[in-house]
Every structure is written in structure tokens, then in C-alpha cells.
Amino acid sequence: MSVIELHDVVKRYESGAQTVTALKGVDFHADRGEMVTIIGPSGSGKSTMLNMIGLLDTPTAGTVLLDDRDVTDFTEDELTEERRTNLGFVFQDFHLLPMLTAVENVELPSVWDTSVDRRDRAIDLLKRVGLGDRLDHTPDELSGGQQQRVAIARSLINGPDILLADEPTGNLDQDTGQTILEEVTRLKQEENIAVVAVTHDEQMLEYTDRTVRIVDGVIQQ
Amino acid sequence: MSIADTLWHFPSAMMAWRNLGRNRMRTALAALGIVIGVVAIASLGMAGVAIQQQATSNLGSLTNQVSVSAGQDSDYDGVTDDQVEEIRSLLTNAQAIPQKTNSTTVSSRGKEAYVSVTGVTDANALYDVTEGTAPERLQTGALISNSTAQQLGLELGDPVEYDGHLYRIAGLIDSSSGFGPGGGRGELVIPISGLADQQYYDSVTITADDGDAASNIANRLDEHFNSEGHEDEEILRVSSYANVQGQISSFMNTLQLALLGIGGISLIVASVAILNVMLMSTVERRGEIGVLRAVGIRRGEVLRMILTEAALLGTLGGLVGALAALAVGAMMFHVLVGDASAALQWSSARYLVYGFAFAVFASVLSGIYPAWKAANDSPVEALRG
Ligand SMILES: Nc1ncnc2c1ncn2[C@@H]1O[C@H](COP(=O)(O)OP(=O)(O)OP(=O)(O)O)[C@@H](O)[C@H]1O
Ligand SMILES: [Mg+2]
């Protein structure tokens, strides 16, 4: 059963007189335990599509189903709630908060909830990505690969169904990228989550279960 | 558990605190703006109080008194017993105390002092005794001013002589209070019988409840004795300090408003500085706030975080400013009133509270727009940078 589905999704950007149609009727789905990679040339709409899947943006037309629920017309506050509980994000630039330690960064998405064991879960997640000895380090004391692993731990803190990653290896060297991908693959199986990633990175295709190619806002079969 | 871990239970406060710590220089400069504003508003307010206290303490207790003496058109060279009775019949809630005055040289142990002599019966109503007692009715003893007693080496119980009679010193009085009869000169107060060779009273002092009552009484007496039937005659000279006091306090109110206005303007400048700093730091952190929103932090929580940041900035600046203003205020009170701790009286200390409250209020107010803007930014746009 698909945990996320896009049906005939269109996204248009209107800026002044110009209209850009970034997505021209896209269908997509991802299942639990599956890693789907979206590839395509620059400007083809990969990030736009990931934003739709990640409920960060709403489509101009079409339907978005999360766990079979139609979330297309959700308000911003409802979408925020879904992102918090069901989605995890990993970014190309890691995007950790510089004034927080590793463990605080991991806790961050849950910190406004009064859950009791989040510190334990954060420490557990950091150990699982091999950072058990870096809990109280701030991002500037960590390497790029370590920062990305903190970001991965952060994305899993609320026990999401889907992990979204926009070029997660884009700022890492070959070897580091590889360990990150191995980490993600392992966690995908352990947590039984869907991973949807956007990449330019050829080596990522070795880890992926399925590849979706998009060109000029249209999925290529 | 460390402080940070405890603070983490209040995520908005924790995040705000950490964010302020990131750019200490900028935080310090923004807080400095607030500090200056609070020091301005609070110390100017306290200055007003100090100046006012100094002015009223110079006038002493005279503001609620009316002094009556013979006018230039009087048939007598003093106030007569009949006139005293007439004055008393016009008073409801005030006491009229007739006095006879003279001056003399008091000597003791070879030293001499030139003093003014006042003959009065109800001495305790007119004088504050610093040592000893002022009897209800002064019939045998005498009161003498502190300075004169010191000068002549006189103590309680020692005799002083005036006009051939000896009086025992029953109490010491403060001679430096106000511009009272005698001015800076030493004073000797004896029973009125000691000045029996003067037929009339030199002055009648009327003590009312307050300045307003005193000026009412002054007007009433003036009307009764000086304008009834006979135009523009001055049978009795009626003077009160109440109108002086009124003028001073209305001047003070104006001064205080002007000072508070200046302080207020500096706080407004400070809040514009905070608005600028908050706006800059939220624009700088746009991507970060986008991440917060992406991982599911609610708009309200982002709003609260940034407002807390502004409030912390205001609290920090307000506290430092209030402390600095207290130091400035204590210094002003020390110089003007001679008592630094008077700065802690509510009448002046309240300006510290006002300054602090204004600082927090102005900071939160300046934080609203940047906070609202950051919270409602689209996460996608924010992440694109
Ligand atoms: N906010 C926006 N306003 C206007 N046009 C936009 C906006 N966001 C994206 N676009 C346009 O939509 C198209 C798709 O952009 P998108 O970022 O999805 O491409 P991409 O496939 O992720 O490219 P890259 O590989 O370079 O990251 C591009 O033509 C882009 O200019
Ligand atoms: Mg992209």
C-alpha cells in the first residue's frame, strides 16, 4: 500500500507576466520500505515535486494522498501537523541549527511536544548513525558527513512514514556520500519507511529500489 | 541535569536565549539602546522627584502655615487680643498661635550669642523638638535652637536669662528649618509672659491641614480684615507660602512631563533599534526558520520564539537600565536631598518600574512585526533562501 500518492499534480508559478509550469500533471507513489529516487535535468521540477510529496507546498491542480487521506486542501496548520508527525526531511545543506548541540538538533522537531522520552530517543538515533560520542558537539565541530547524519537522526525523531531527501549527498565527497546512503538504506529497513530522494549522484542509483525520471515537468516512462 | 536541559522544557525561551547568544555584539548593542532609554526615562523621572523634594524641604513645614501681622493701615503696632479672637472665630479646622518677638544677646560661660526671642504659649505646635520636650503650654521653661545651645555649651536643664528672668531649657529645636522667623539666626523660645511689656502680638501663626486649606484661610482673613467696607486698606498683613508651593509644584509637573517626554523619545528610538535588529536577524535566519517550519514547528511556536527573543532583549536591557538608573538616582538624591536611600522610596523608585515595564513592552511591540513575518513566511520560499 502506498504511503504517499500524487495524482495528476500540476504546479504553476506566476511571477508578474510570466507563468512557469514546473509540474505538468505528475503521478507518483511510494511504498513503505521502498527507496524511490527522482532524477532529471536541472530545472525539470524535481525539487518542486519533492515539495509536493513533503507537504511543504500545495499543488495548483491534482490530488495528494497521505496514507490514503486526501490532504490536498489542508490548511497550512494542518499540513504542519502532518509534516511533524509523518514526514522527515534531509537537506543538501544539512540545515542544522548552529547554536544547538547534536542531540538538541535531533530533538528539535519534537521539542514543543511534551513527550517524556525524546531525549532517550534522540541519543538512541545518534548512536544508530554512529555519533554516540558526538552528542554535545555543535554543528561547527562536526564534519559534513557527521552533520548529515545528525540531520538524518533529526528526520527520524518523530517516527515518520516517509523520509524526504533533496540531494542528501550533494555536499559530500564520494566515500562519505556512500556511508550516508548505506545508513539511509539500513534505517529504511529498520523503521520500515518510504524514502524519496532527489539526486544528480550516479552512485545513489545503486541503493535505490526504483527510479523516476522527470523532464520538463513530465514523468518519463 | 544542566541548566540548558531544564531550559529545554521551555523551548521558546531556550531557542531565544541561544539565538541572542549567537551574535553577542549585536545583542549587546541592541540591549544598550534599551539601557540608555530606560536610564533616560527612569533617571529623568527620579530627577523630577528629587528636585521637587529638595524644593519642598527648603520651604520646610511652612507651606501649610499662614502668618498674620499688623498691616500698614492698622491703628496698632501689632495684632491685638480682639483681633486674635476675631481670627479664631473665622477658623474651623486650624489653630491660631499668637507670638511676640524680640531679639537679645544670650550669654553663658563667657560666650555670647545674638538670638531672636519668641514668646509663645503653644510652643509644641510650632516647633519640632529634637531633644527634650515641648510642654503643651510653655509656662516656665524655654526652648533653644540646637546651634545656639552648641555655641554656648548649653544643655537641657541649664538656665538662660532674658529680661531679668531665668528659664530652664526644656528642649532643643531645629533652627535651620525653613525661612521661619529668625531665619538662620539662633532662636530662643520662652513663655509669652516673658514678653509681657509688649502689649500686642507681633504675629499670629495659623497652622492648617495642608497648603490648600492654608491659602483658603489666607484669602478669607484677607477679605475679612482688609476689604470689608473699607477699600484697599491693610489692617492685617496676611501671608502664606501655599501659593509659592502651588507654583513650584505646577512648575515641577511641567518639568517632570518634559523630562519623561525626553526619556520616552529615547525609548522609542531604542525600540526602533530593536525592530531593526529583530528584522535583520529574522531575515538572516530565514532559511533556518524555513527548516523549523519544514520539520513541523507550528507558526505560533515560531512567533512565540521570536517574541520571546524580543522580550528577553527588553528584559535584559530593562534590568541593566533600571540598575544604572538607580545608581544615577541615588547620586541625584544624595546631592539634592542629602539622602541617597530616598531614591528607593516608591515615589521615585516607581520610575524604575515604569522604565523597565516600558522597555519590555516596547521590545515585544517591536518584535511583533518581525515575528509575524517570519512565522508566516512560506517554508519553501524560506528554504530556497
Ligand atoms: N518559487 C518559484 N517561482 C517561480 N518559478 C519557480 C519557483 N520555484 C521553481 N520555479 C521554476 O520551476 C522549475 C522547476 O524548478 P525546480 O527547483 O523544481 O527544479 P529542479 O529539478 O529541482 O532543478 P535543480 O536540479 O537545479 O535543483 C524551474 O524552471 C524553476 O525556475
Ligand atoms: Mg532542486
Side-chain angles (χ1 to χ4, degrees):
Chain A
M1 188 198 77
S2 298
V3 63
I4 182 82
E5 291 170 50
L6 302 188
H7 290 295
D8 204 17
V9 163
V10 175
K11 182 64 182 179
R12 249 191 300 275
Y13 292 108
E14 319 230 357
S15 42
Q18 243 173 329
T19 304
V20 178
T21 308
L23 300 177
K24 299 169 180 166
V26 164
D27 289 312
F28 176 86
H29 72 95
D31 301 339
R32 280 180 211 278
E34 178 189 40
M35 175 160 170
V36 186
T37 304
I38 303 169
I39 58 168
S42 184
S44 56
K46 302 185 294 294
S47 296
T48 306
M49 191 172 154
L50 202 68
N51 289 341
M52 298 299 143
I53 299 167
L55 309 186
L56 285 169
D57 211 346
T58 46
T60 314
T63 324
V64 181
L65 298 181
L66 178 71
D67 248 339
D68 279 343
R69 287 175 300 134
D70 188 342
V71 298
T72 318
D73 296 323
F74 271 29
T75 64
E76 178 54 38
D77 290 339
E78 289 168 328
L79 291 176
T80 304
E81 210 53 42
E82 295 298 335
R83 289 200 299 269
R84 183 213 294 276
T85 49
N86 296 318
L87 301 170
F89 291 86
V90 174
F91 306 92
Q92 178 174 358
D93 302 324
F94 324 134
H95 279 317
L96 301 177
L97 297 201
M99 72 287 189
L100 300 182
T101 63
V103 72
E104 287 167 349
N105 262 293
V106 174
E107 285 179 274
L108 188 63
S110 66
V111 83
W112 266 274
D113 293 329
T114 44
S115 98
V116 200
D117 59 345
R118 62 158 191 262
R119 174 56 59 99
D120 295 337
R121 173 151 170 89
I123 292 171
D124 178 55
L125 282 167
L126 279 172
K127 281 181 180 157
R128 281 162 65 187
V129 296
L131 289 177
D133 55 345
R134 292 284 190 279
L135 299 178
D136 294 324
H137 289 234
T138 49
D140 60 358
E141 297 165 346
L142 299 171
S143 70
Q146 289 171 329
Q147 288 187 51
Q148 195 60 302
R149 280 186 273 167
V150 174
I152 290 168
R154 177 179 66 189
S155 72
L156 297 176
I157 186 76
N158 282 330
D161 300 325
I162 310 163
L163 177 62
L164 297 143
D166 199 345
E167 313 215 18
T169 57
N171 279 357
L172 302 172
D173 62 53
Q174 190 91 5
D175 289 349
T176 316
Q178 190 160 338
T179 56
I180 290 293
L181 288 170
E182 279 162 10
E183 211 85 71
V184 169
T185 307
R186 190 168 51 76
L187 290 166
K188 174 196 78 179
Q189 277 150 5
E190 284 175 12
E191 305 269 322
N192 190 32
I193 55 176
V195 177
V196 182
V198 164
T199 195
H200 283 123
D201 185 2
E202 287 298 322
Q203 70 169 340
M204 193 143 167
L205 301 181
E206 295 168 27
Y207 296 88
T208 196
D209 300 305
R210 190 154 57 87
T211 305
V212 170
R213 168 176 287 275
I214 181 170
V215 176
D216 204 14
V218 181
I219 303 286
Q220 310 291 298
Q221 295 305 332
Chain B
M1 242 194 168
S2 72
I3 296 170
D5 291 336
T6 316
L7 251 185
W8 210 211
H9 290 289
F10 308 95
S12 301
M14 172 71 172
M15 297 283 285
W17 181 252
R18 293 279 177 90
N19 277 327
L20 287 177
R22 276 161 78 173
N23 197 333
R24 298 227 167 89
M25 191 62 175
R26 186 160 71 191
T27 301
L29 286 176
L32 185 65
I34 288 284
V35 169
I36 293 171
V38 172
V39 169
I41 200 168
S43 59
L44 290 176
M46 291 169 92
V49 177
I51 294 170
Q52 187 151 20
Q53 282 192 7
Q54 188 210 23
T56 34
S57 87
N58 277 350
L59 276 180
S61 57
L62 299 171
T63 50
N64 62 342
Q65 291 186 349
V66 180
S67 174
V68 180
S69 55
Q72 57 191 7
D73 302 319
S74 176
D75 298 333
Y76 314 99
D77 64 343
V79 183
T80 64
D81 278 319
D82 289 347
Q83 283 171 329
V84 170
E85 283 316 310
E86 214 171 330
I87 289 171
R88 283 193 172 135
S89 73
L90 288 168
L91 301 178
T92 45
N93 231 334
Q95 208 181 354
I97 301 161
Q99 291 148 270
K100 294 178 180 175
T101 53
N102 199 351
S103 54
T104 187
T105 306
V106 178
S107 59
S108 167
R109 293 166 200 159
K111 279 179 264 184
E112 293 192 336
Y114 189 65
V115 297
S116 56
V117 181
T118 305
V120 66
T121 305
D122 303 297
N124 66 328
L126 281 189
Y127 297 96
D128 285 333
V129 174
T130 57
E131 208 178 308
T133 48
E136 190 84 12
R137 301 185 66 77
L138 194 62
Q139 260 146 0
T140 52
L143 305 177
I144 194 162
S145 53
N146 266 321
S147 55
T148 314
Q150 259 166 30
Q151 203 182 331
L152 301 179
L154 290 170
E155 284 170 18
L156 288 182
D158 286 351
V160 272
E161 197 221 293
Y162 173 74
D163 199 18
H165 289 271
L166 283 179
Y167 303 92
R168 289 206 176 277
I169 296 175
L172 299 181
I173 55 178
D174 216 344
S175 50
S176 64
S177 65
F179 321 120
R185 215 193 299 163
E187 220 174 327
L188 175 66
V189 183
I190 57 172
I192 200 137
S193 55
L195 289 148
D197 55 341
Q198 284 179 228
Q199 194 185 351
Y200 304 118
Y201 299 106
D202 292 290
S203 64
V204 180
T205 301
I206 298 157
T207 308
D209 287 340
D210 53 39
D212 285 345
S215 62
N216 280 341
I217 289 169
N219 290 340
R220 213 176 321 143
L221 294 179
D222 200 37
E223 213 168 293
H224 179 84
F225 288 100
N226 300 335
S227 19
E228 223 168 70
H230 21 253
E231 288 288 305
D232 269 348
E233 276 193 331
E234 195 187 44
I235 305 296
L236 291 181
R237 182 190 298 269
V238 180
S239 50
S240 86
Y241 297 93
N243 49 353
V244 179
Q245 159 85 354
Q247 279 164 10
I248 286 180
S249 70
S250 87
F251 167 72
M252 281 302 155
N253 287 342
T254 317
L255 181 71
Q256 199 130 354
L257 270 182
L259 293 178
L260 285 181
I262 295 168
I265 289 168
S266 55
L267 255 187
I268 288 169
V269 172
S271 18
V272 173
I274 288 224
L275 176 66
N276 182 39
V277 163
M278 295 304 300
L279 214 49
M280 262 168 59
S281 82
T282 47
V283 166
E284 248 169 46
R285 291 188 337 235
R286 192 178 180 207
E288 249 170 59
I289 292 164
V291 172
L292 288 177
R293 298 280 294 109
V295 303
I297 308 292
R298 299 178 189 98
R299 285 188 292 192
E301 289 155 353
V302 171
L303 189 88
R304 218 178 314 151
M305 180 182 93
I306 297 170
L307 279 184
T308 308
E309 216 171 304
L312 264 177
L313 209 54
T315 309
L316 214 71
L319 270 180
V320 174
L323 283 177
L326 180 60
V328 173
M331 229 145 67
M332 286 186 307
F333 272 87
H334 178 70
V335 171
L336 293 177
V337 187
D339 177 16
S341 67
L344 287 171
Q345 291 169 339
W346 176 241
S347 61
S348 90
R350 65 199 171 116
Y351 288 102
L352 299 176
V353 178
Y354 295 163
F356 177 76
F358 202 131
V360 175
F361 176 74
S363 301
V364 172
L365 205 66
S366 323
I368 289 177
Y369 173 66
W372 180 86
K373 197 164 173 283
N376 287 289
D377 200 3
S378 132
V380 175
E381 293 299 316
L383 281 169
R384 278 163 61 101

